[in-house]
Amino acid sequence: MALRKILIYPDPFLRKKCAPVEGIDGEVLKLLDDMAETMYGARGVGLAASQIGVDKRVVVIDISPRNIEADEEEGEEEEGEEKTEYEGPGLIELINPEIISSVGQVIAEEACLSIPGFTSDVRRKRRVVIEAYNREGQLMEIEASELLARVFQHEIDHLDGVLFIDRLSRLKRELIKRKIEKVLGKEEKRYAVM
Ligand code: ZN
């Protein structure tokens, strides 16, 4: 396994619509392993292949509290304190994931490893059902709500070159983009080529 470099906004690769995986070979399995290691290393709950500059529809997710709380509770924990932890679903690997149905709406705060230091409330579907292949090549169907549903939507958006800031109302989007651009730089304007 190897840590990969996470691309940071405004890297143009983050705007790429990724290509479907045609066959699950050693390269894809290594990609899954590297992505999991990179996600855990960055203390993220999800990572899409485009975020490490790979043009493949591959996503890894782990919303286990252990993974999330490691960051939030840093420094607060008493030494020697033991916690009983709910393990959650653990690592979820998705190849060619697709949302096949969704219902409801919910607003909650989101962040992104590729836009470090910025968060915003984002409206998402409340529940989603997704279809994806696992590393064994089996088609899985997963129904999710709450955080997992949100992470599914956030990561699948990445595979289409969509970032959470694109999901904000125009006013909020322009405000946060201006702040982000001051810190991280400006996205290049894309002109239509005719
Ligand atoms: Zn993200």
Side-chain angles (χ1 to χ4, degrees), residues 51 111-114 154-155 158:
Q51 290 181 276
C112 179
L113 291 174
S114 293
H154 179 114
E155 300 308 330
H158 269 305

Side-chain angles (χ1 to χ4, degrees), residues 3-11 14 34-53 58-63 67-68 71 91 109-120 124 151 154-155 158 162-165 180 183-184:
L3 273 178
R4 307 271 192 113
K5 187 171 169 276
I6 296 174
L7 302 181
I8 302 296
Y9 182 97
D11 193 301
L14 294 170
D34 287 356
M35 283 175 63
E37 192 181 348
T38 305
M39 173 183 70
Y40 290 126
R43 291 184 168 167
V45 293
L47 187 72
S50 54
Q51 290 181 276
I52 56 163
V58 173
V59 161
V60 294
I61 289 168
D62 190 342
I63 60 155
N67 190 28
I68 299 168
D71 199 32
L91 178 63
E109 195 175 52
E110 259 176 61
C112 179
L113 291 174
S114 293
I115 313 178
F118 293 90
T119 61
S120 186
R124 296 281 186 187
V151 179
H154 179 114
E155 300 308 330
H158 269 305
V162 175
L163 303 171
F164 79 85
I165 52 174
I180 290 169
V183 179
L184 302 174

Side-chain angles (χ1 to χ4, degrees), residues 9-12 15 177 181 185-191:
Y9 182 97
D11 193 301
R15 293 308 194 178
K177 267 197 152 176
E181 283 166 356
K186 209 176 165 80
E187 268 194 311
E188 249 177 68
K189 272 217 176 75
R190 283 168 294 173
Y191 297 98

